[in-house]
Amino acid sequence: MTATHETPVRLTQFAHGGGCACKIPPGELEDVLGGLPMVLPDAGDTPLLVGLATGDDAAVVTLPARGGAAQAVVSTADFFTPVVDDPYDWGRIAAANALSDVYAMGGRPVLAVNLLAWPRDVLPFELAREVLRGGLEVAAEAGCHVGGGHSVDDPEPKYGMAVTGLADPARLLRNDAGRAGLPLTLTKPLGLGVLNNRHKATGERFEQAVATMVALNRDACAAALAAGASCGTDVTGFGLLGHLHKLARASDVTAVVDTAAVPYLDGAREAVRDGYVSGGTRRNLAWVEPFTDFGDADTDTRLLLADAQTSGGLLIAGEVPGFPVVGELVPRGAHSVVLR
Protein backbone atom coordinates (compact mmCIF):
# COMPACT_ATOMS: atom_id res chain seq x y z
CA MET A 1 0.00 0.00 0.00
CA THR A 2 1.13 3.58 -0.64
CA ALA A 3 0.16 6.83 1.01
CA THR A 4 -3.19 8.28 -0.07
CA HIS A 5 -2.58 12.04 0.36
CA GLU A 6 -2.63 14.16 -2.81
CA THR A 7 1.03 15.16 -2.94
CA PRO A 8 3.35 12.19 -2.27
CA VAL A 9 5.74 12.82 0.61
CA ARG A 10 9.14 11.17 0.60
CA LEU A 11 9.52 10.37 4.28
CA THR A 12 13.21 9.46 3.92
CA GLN A 13 13.95 13.08 3.01
CA PHE A 14 12.97 14.14 6.53
CA ALA A 15 15.65 11.95 8.12
CA HIS A 16 19.39 12.53 8.44
CA GLY A 17 19.86 8.75 8.20
CA GLY A 18 17.63 5.80 7.49
CA GLY A 19 16.60 2.85 9.65
CA CYS A 20 19.28 1.22 11.75
CA ALA A 21 21.96 3.17 9.86
CA CYS A 22 21.04 6.11 12.11
CA LYS A 23 22.29 4.30 15.21
CA ILE A 24 25.04 5.88 17.30
CA PRO A 25 28.33 4.35 16.03
CA PRO A 26 29.22 1.22 18.01
CA GLY A 27 32.59 2.50 19.16
CA GLU A 28 31.09 5.71 20.54
CA LEU A 29 28.26 3.77 22.17
CA GLU A 30 30.68 1.43 23.93
CA ASP A 31 32.64 4.43 25.23
CA VAL A 32 29.44 5.81 26.76
CA LEU A 33 28.33 2.51 28.26
CA GLY A 34 31.83 1.86 29.56
CA GLY A 35 31.27 4.42 32.28
CA LEU A 36 28.12 2.78 33.60
CA PRO A 37 27.93 0.04 36.25
CA MET A 38 27.52 -3.47 34.89
CA VAL A 39 26.07 -4.85 38.13
CA LEU A 40 22.98 -3.12 39.47
CA PRO A 41 21.44 -3.41 42.95
CA ASP A 42 19.82 -6.70 43.85
CA ALA A 43 16.19 -6.83 42.68
CA GLY A 44 15.12 -9.55 45.07
CA ASP A 45 13.45 -12.54 43.48
CA THR A 46 13.80 -11.31 39.86
CA PRO A 47 17.53 -11.68 39.12
CA LEU A 48 18.96 -10.12 35.97
CA LEU A 49 20.10 -12.86 33.56
CA VAL A 50 21.20 -10.63 30.69
CA GLY A 51 22.10 -6.97 31.02
CA LEU A 52 24.68 -4.47 29.79
CA ALA A 53 27.76 -6.63 30.18
CA THR A 54 27.91 -8.29 26.73
CA GLY A 55 25.84 -5.85 24.67
CA ASP A 56 23.19 -8.46 23.94
CA ASP A 57 19.94 -7.76 22.08
CA ALA A 58 17.63 -7.38 25.08
CA ALA A 59 17.55 -7.45 28.86
CA VAL A 60 16.29 -10.58 30.59
CA VAL A 61 15.11 -11.17 34.16
CA THR A 62 13.92 -14.40 35.75
CA LEU A 63 10.49 -14.56 37.33
CA PRO A 64 10.15 -16.66 40.48
CA ALA A 65 8.66 -20.09 39.85
CA ARG A 66 5.44 -20.29 41.86
CA GLY A 67 3.94 -23.72 41.33
CA GLY A 68 5.03 -23.97 37.69
CA ALA A 69 8.00 -23.75 35.34
CA ALA A 70 10.28 -20.75 35.67
CA GLN A 71 9.85 -18.01 33.09
CA ALA A 72 12.04 -15.17 31.94
CA VAL A 73 10.88 -11.70 30.91
CA VAL A 74 12.63 -10.23 27.87
CA SER A 75 12.58 -6.44 27.51
CA THR A 76 13.77 -4.28 24.62
CA ALA A 77 13.10 -1.07 22.70
CA ASP A 78 13.96 -0.09 19.14
CA PHE A 79 12.97 2.87 16.99
CA PHE A 80 14.46 4.76 14.05
CA THR A 81 13.99 7.35 11.33
CA PRO A 82 12.19 6.45 8.06
CA VAL A 83 13.96 3.76 6.09
CA VAL A 84 11.45 3.82 3.19
CA ASP A 85 9.09 6.49 1.86
CA ASP A 86 5.87 4.53 2.25
CA PRO A 87 4.54 5.14 5.80
CA TYR A 88 2.72 1.80 6.06
CA ASP A 89 5.84 -0.11 5.04
CA TRP A 90 7.97 1.93 7.44
CA GLY A 91 5.61 0.98 10.27
CA ARG A 92 5.76 -2.70 9.36
CA ILE A 93 9.56 -2.66 9.10
CA ALA A 94 10.05 -0.82 12.39
CA ALA A 95 7.73 -3.20 14.23
CA ALA A 96 9.39 -6.31 12.79
CA ASN A 97 12.77 -4.87 13.75
CA ALA A 98 11.71 -4.17 17.35
CA LEU A 99 10.14 -7.61 17.75
CA SER A 100 13.32 -9.17 16.39
CA ASP A 101 15.26 -8.44 19.57
CA VAL A 102 12.92 -10.72 21.52
CA TYR A 103 13.30 -13.49 18.94
CA ALA A 104 17.08 -12.97 19.00
CA MET A 105 17.01 -13.91 22.70
CA GLY A 106 14.89 -17.03 22.07
CA GLY A 107 11.74 -15.37 23.36
CA ARG A 108 8.14 -14.81 22.32
CA PRO A 109 6.86 -11.21 22.19
CA VAL A 110 3.64 -10.72 24.14
CA LEU A 111 3.21 -6.95 24.63
CA ALA A 112 4.43 -3.85 22.81
CA VAL A 113 3.91 -0.12 23.15
CA ASN A 114 4.44 2.34 20.31
CA LEU A 115 7.20 4.95 20.33
CA LEU A 116 6.38 7.79 17.92
CA ALA A 117 8.12 11.10 17.22
CA TRP A 118 6.33 13.28 14.68
CA PRO A 119 6.85 16.76 13.16
CA ARG A 120 3.19 17.70 13.64
CA ASP A 121 3.47 21.08 11.86
CA VAL A 122 5.21 19.58 8.83
CA LEU A 123 3.81 16.11 8.09
CA PRO A 124 0.08 15.27 8.10
CA PHE A 125 -1.15 12.95 10.83
CA GLU A 126 -2.75 10.69 8.24
CA LEU A 127 0.79 9.52 7.49
CA ALA A 128 1.42 8.83 11.17
CA ARG A 129 -1.79 6.79 11.21
CA GLU A 130 -0.44 4.66 8.35
CA VAL A 131 2.83 4.14 10.21
CA LEU A 132 0.96 2.97 13.30
CA ARG A 133 -1.32 0.76 11.20
CA GLY A 134 1.67 -0.99 9.71
CA GLY A 135 3.13 -1.59 13.16
CA LEU A 136 -0.16 -2.96 14.46
CA GLU A 137 -0.49 -5.42 11.60
CA VAL A 138 3.00 -6.87 12.08
CA ALA A 139 2.49 -7.11 15.84
CA ALA A 140 -0.79 -8.94 15.21
CA GLU A 141 1.03 -11.36 12.89
CA ALA A 142 3.46 -12.02 15.75
CA GLY A 143 0.61 -12.60 18.22
CA CYS A 144 1.79 -9.61 20.24
CA HIS A 145 -0.59 -7.12 21.86
CA VAL A 146 -0.02 -3.40 21.31
CA GLY A 147 -1.23 -1.61 24.41
CA GLY A 148 -0.77 2.07 23.62
CA GLY A 149 2.50 3.96 23.60
CA HIS A 150 4.10 7.38 23.79
CA SER A 151 4.40 10.20 21.25
CA VAL A 152 6.32 13.47 21.08
CA ASP A 153 6.48 16.45 18.73
CA ASP A 154 9.85 16.17 17.01
CA PRO A 155 11.34 17.82 13.88
CA GLU A 156 12.48 14.41 12.64
CA PRO A 157 10.01 11.50 12.37
CA LYS A 158 10.86 8.35 14.30
CA TYR A 159 8.91 5.18 15.04
CA GLY A 160 9.41 1.90 16.81
CA MET A 161 8.28 -0.13 19.78
CA ALA A 162 9.20 -1.13 23.29
CA VAL A 163 8.54 -4.86 23.48
CA THR A 164 8.15 -7.32 26.34
CA GLY A 165 8.49 -11.03 25.72
CA LEU A 166 8.58 -14.33 27.58
CA ALA A 167 11.20 -17.07 27.35
CA ASP A 168 12.37 -20.24 29.01
CA PRO A 169 15.39 -19.12 31.07
CA ALA A 170 17.07 -22.46 30.35
CA ARG A 171 16.67 -22.05 26.58
CA LEU A 172 17.79 -18.52 25.83
CA LEU A 173 19.79 -17.44 22.81
CA ARG A 174 22.68 -15.39 24.18
CA ASN A 175 25.64 -13.77 22.46
CA ASP A 176 28.05 -15.09 25.10
CA ALA A 177 27.15 -18.80 24.74
CA GLY A 178 29.15 -19.62 21.61
CA ARG A 179 31.81 -22.29 21.62
CA ALA A 180 34.49 -23.45 19.20
CA GLY A 181 33.34 -26.04 16.70
CA LEU A 182 29.86 -24.63 16.10
CA PRO A 183 28.82 -23.60 12.58
CA LEU A 184 27.37 -20.13 11.97
CA THR A 185 23.95 -19.79 10.35
CA LEU A 186 22.51 -16.58 8.86
CA THR A 187 18.75 -16.45 8.32
CA LYS A 188 18.33 -13.41 6.03
CA PRO A 189 20.46 -12.13 3.15
CA LEU A 190 22.58 -8.98 3.49
CA GLY A 191 22.36 -5.79 1.46
CA LEU A 192 19.42 -4.05 3.08
CA GLY A 193 21.46 -0.99 4.00
CA VAL A 194 22.80 -0.21 0.54
CA LEU A 195 19.43 -0.83 -1.11
CA ASN A 196 17.70 1.42 1.42
CA ASN A 197 20.34 4.09 0.85
CA ARG A 198 19.75 3.87 -2.89
CA HIS A 199 16.01 4.20 -2.27
CA LYS A 200 16.60 7.30 -0.14
CA ALA A 201 18.80 8.88 -2.82
CA THR A 202 16.78 8.00 -5.93
CA GLY A 203 13.26 6.98 -4.91
CA GLU A 204 13.70 3.54 -6.52
CA ARG A 205 11.64 0.92 -4.69
CA PHE A 206 13.15 -2.47 -3.93
CA GLU A 207 10.39 -4.96 -3.19
CA GLN A 208 12.89 -7.68 -2.24
CA ALA A 209 14.30 -5.43 0.48
CA VAL A 210 10.87 -4.51 1.87
CA ALA A 211 9.77 -8.16 1.90
CA THR A 212 12.94 -9.15 3.77
CA MET A 213 12.60 -6.38 6.36
CA VAL A 214 8.94 -7.01 7.19
CA ALA A 215 9.49 -10.76 7.59
CA LEU A 216 9.42 -11.79 11.25
CA ASN A 217 12.33 -13.73 12.74
CA ARG A 218 9.78 -15.89 14.59
CA ASP A 219 10.22 -19.04 12.51
CA ALA A 220 14.00 -18.73 12.48
CA CYS A 221 13.98 -18.41 16.28
CA ALA A 222 11.78 -21.49 16.66
CA ALA A 223 13.99 -23.48 14.28
CA ALA A 224 17.14 -22.45 16.15
CA LEU A 225 15.71 -23.49 19.51
CA ALA A 226 14.45 -26.76 18.04
CA ALA A 227 17.98 -27.43 16.75
CA GLY A 228 19.35 -26.97 20.27
CA ALA A 229 21.05 -23.61 19.72
CA SER A 230 21.92 -21.48 22.75
CA CYS A 231 23.95 -18.70 21.12
CA GLY A 232 22.69 -16.07 18.73
CA THR A 233 22.04 -12.45 17.92
CA ASP A 234 20.32 -10.52 15.18
CA VAL A 235 22.06 -8.58 12.42
CA THR A 236 20.97 -4.96 12.40
CA GLY A 237 22.68 -1.57 12.49
CA PHE A 238 26.22 -2.74 13.24
CA GLY A 239 26.30 -5.06 10.21
CA LEU A 240 27.23 -8.73 10.10
CA LEU A 241 30.85 -8.00 11.03
CA GLY A 242 29.92 -5.78 13.95
CA HIS A 243 27.42 -8.17 15.48
CA LEU A 244 29.70 -11.13 14.82
CA HIS A 245 32.58 -9.34 16.54
CA LYS A 246 30.38 -8.72 19.59
CA LEU A 247 29.31 -12.39 19.68
CA ALA A 248 32.87 -13.70 19.28
CA ARG A 249 34.21 -11.30 21.90
CA ALA A 250 31.48 -12.18 24.40
CA SER A 251 32.01 -15.92 23.81
CA ASP A 252 35.84 -15.71 23.79
CA VAL A 253 36.12 -17.38 20.37
CA THR A 254 37.05 -16.40 16.84
CA ALA A 255 34.42 -16.35 14.10
CA VAL A 256 35.51 -17.50 10.66
CA VAL A 257 33.31 -16.33 7.77
CA ASP A 258 33.15 -18.12 4.43
CA THR A 259 32.57 -15.03 2.28
CA ALA A 260 31.40 -17.10 -0.70
CA ALA A 261 28.60 -18.61 1.41
CA VAL A 262 27.07 -15.33 2.60
CA PRO A 263 23.77 -14.59 0.79
CA TYR A 264 23.00 -11.13 -0.61
CA LEU A 265 19.84 -9.50 -1.91
CA ASP A 266 19.54 -8.94 -5.64
CA GLY A 267 20.96 -5.54 -6.49
CA ALA A 268 23.10 -5.21 -3.36
CA ARG A 269 26.47 -5.50 -5.08
CA GLU A 270 25.35 -3.08 -7.79
CA ALA A 271 24.30 -0.57 -5.13
CA VAL A 272 27.76 -0.77 -3.52
CA ARG A 273 29.42 -0.45 -6.91
CA ASP A 274 27.35 2.66 -7.64
CA GLY A 275 28.31 4.28 -4.35
CA TYR A 276 25.14 3.95 -2.26
CA VAL A 277 26.95 3.19 0.99
CA SER A 278 25.73 4.88 4.16
CA GLY A 279 27.95 6.63 6.65
CA GLY A 280 26.79 4.12 9.24
CA THR A 281 28.17 1.24 7.18
CA ARG A 282 31.53 2.97 6.76
CA ARG A 283 31.69 3.62 10.51
CA ASN A 284 30.89 -0.06 11.14
CA LEU A 285 33.79 -1.10 8.93
CA ALA A 286 36.18 1.32 10.61
CA TRP A 287 35.13 -0.01 14.02
CA VAL A 288 35.77 -3.70 13.23
CA GLU A 289 39.01 -3.20 11.28
CA PRO A 290 41.32 -3.66 14.32
CA PHE A 291 39.56 -6.92 15.23
CA THR A 292 39.23 -8.45 11.75
CA ASP A 293 41.52 -10.40 9.42
CA PHE A 294 40.03 -9.51 6.03
CA GLY A 295 42.16 -11.94 4.04
CA ASP A 296 41.84 -11.15 0.34
CA ALA A 297 38.25 -9.81 0.55
CA ASP A 298 37.82 -6.84 -1.76
CA THR A 299 36.49 -3.45 -0.66
CA ASP A 300 32.94 -4.08 -1.90
CA THR A 301 32.72 -7.36 0.01
CA ARG A 302 34.00 -5.71 3.17
CA LEU A 303 31.39 -2.97 2.86
CA LEU A 304 28.59 -5.47 2.33
CA LEU A 305 29.65 -7.51 5.35
CA ALA A 306 29.63 -4.29 7.41
CA ASP A 307 26.40 -3.02 5.79
CA ALA A 308 24.03 -1.50 8.36
CA GLN A 309 21.00 -3.78 8.19
CA THR A 310 17.48 -2.83 9.21
CA SER A 311 15.33 -5.72 10.46
CA GLY A 312 17.96 -8.23 9.37
CA GLY A 313 18.08 -11.91 10.13
CA LEU A 314 19.32 -13.98 13.04
CA LEU A 315 22.94 -15.08 13.33
CA ILE A 316 22.95 -18.42 15.12
CA ALA A 317 25.87 -20.45 16.48
CA GLY A 318 24.65 -23.82 15.26
CA GLU A 319 23.22 -25.35 12.13
CA VAL A 320 19.59 -24.37 11.57
CA PRO A 321 17.76 -26.43 8.92
CA GLY A 322 16.59 -24.39 5.96
CA PHE A 323 19.13 -21.60 6.32
CA PRO A 324 22.69 -21.21 4.97
CA VAL A 325 25.80 -21.90 7.03
CA VAL A 326 28.19 -18.98 6.50
CA GLY A 327 31.11 -19.90 8.74
CA GLU A 328 32.14 -21.40 12.05
CA LEU A 329 33.44 -20.61 15.51
CA VAL A 330 37.01 -21.67 16.30
CA PRO A 331 39.29 -21.28 19.34
CA ARG A 332 40.20 -17.69 20.09
CA GLY A 333 42.99 -16.35 17.90
CA ALA A 334 44.59 -12.99 17.19
CA HIS A 335 41.35 -11.62 15.68
CA SER A 336 37.72 -11.97 16.68
CA VAL A 337 36.64 -12.29 13.02
CA VAL A 338 38.48 -13.89 10.10
CA LEU A 339 37.31 -13.79 6.47
CA ARG A 340 38.13 -16.65 4.10
Side-chain angles (χ1 to χ4, degrees):
M1 174 175 177
T2 57
T4 57
H5 51 289
E6 292 182 3
T7 303
V9 175
R10 295 204 56 211
L11 285 175
T12 56
Q13 304 310 297
F14 289 83
H16 74 283
C20 290
C22 69
K23 281 187 174 183
I24 293 174
E28 294 179 23
L29 183 61
E30 289 193 344
D31 288 343
V32 172
L33 296 178
L36 297 175
M38 294 295 105
V39 179
L40 300 179
D42 183 16
D45 61 356
T46 56
L48 184 69
L49 283 182
V50 181
L52 286 172
T54 63
D56 219 323
D57 296 294
V60 183
V61 297
T62 304
L63 295 179
R66 294 191 173 102
Q71 279 194 311
V73 173
V74 183
S75 181
T76 184
D78 209 312
F79 62 97
F80 48 66
T81 53
V83 68
V84 293
D85 290 324
D86 187 285
Y88 171 72
D89 283 343
W90 175 32
R92 293 196 296 157
I93 292 165
N97 182 76
L99 294 165
S100 178
D101 282 340
V102 174
Y103 295 129
M105 301 301 301
R108 173 177 62 89
V110 295
L111 176 64
V113 291
N114 289 312
L115 304 172
L116 178 69
W118 201 256
R120 50 184 293 274
D121 294 329
V122 178
L123 291 175
F125 270 118
E126 66 185 77
L127 298 184
R129 183 184 299 112
E130 285 299 291
V131 174
L132 294 171
R133 186 171 73 88
L136 283 169
E137 289 194 5
V138 165
E141 180 186 351
C144 178
H145 297 289
V146 179
H150 184 68
S151 60
V152 296
D153 187 354
D154 191 308
E156 187 174 53
K158 304 174 184 72
Y159 174 65
M161 289 177 165
V163 186
T164 300
L166 297 174
D168 180 344
R171 300 184 67 218
L172 293 176
L173 297 174
R174 303 175 53 135
N175 70 358
D176 63 354
R179 64 181 188 275
L182 289 175
L184 288 167
T185 300
L186 181 64
T187 68
K188 286 186 184 181
L190 302 183
L192 292 164
V194 290
L195 291 178
N196 289 337
N197 208 38
R198 186 165 200 154
H199 170 70
K200 178 179 170 65
T202 68
E204 296 174 79
R205 182 175 169 87
F206 298 98
E207 298 293 347
Q208 70 275 30
V210 172
T212 298
M213 290 185 286
V214 302
L216 293 171
N217 281 325
R218 174 186 56 199
D219 294 346
C221 169
L225 292 174
S230 61
C231 177
T233 186
D234 62 355
V235 181
T236 54
F238 301 153
L240 176 64
L241 292 182
H243 290 284
L244 193 51
H245 162 61
K246 291 177 66 177
L247 184 152
R249 181 180 61 184
S251 298
D252 195 30
V253 294
T254 288
V256 178
V257 178
D258 177 0
T259 57
V262 177
Y264 299 102
L265 287 165
D266 290 344
R269 283 200 173 272
E270 291 78 4
V272 173
R273 179 199 65 200
D274 295 341
Y276 296 103
V277 179
S278 70
T281 290
R282 296 190 186 280
R283 289 189 292 270
N284 288 342
L285 187 57
W287 177 56
V288 300
E289 278 180 349
F291 316 109
T292 304
D293 177 355
F294 290 102
D296 59 0
D298 60 30
T299 299
D300 287 1
T301 297
R302 298 182 188 193
L303 287 167
L304 281 168
L305 292 174
D307 190 37
Q309 305 299 281
T310 296
S311 193
L314 299 184
L315 177 66
I316 301 296
E319 187 167 355
V320 183
F323 301 100
V325 170
V326 298
E328 63 177 333
L329 299 179
V330 300
R332 181 72 184 188
H335 297 88
S336 60
V337 180
V338 175
L339 306 186
R340 289 181 182 163

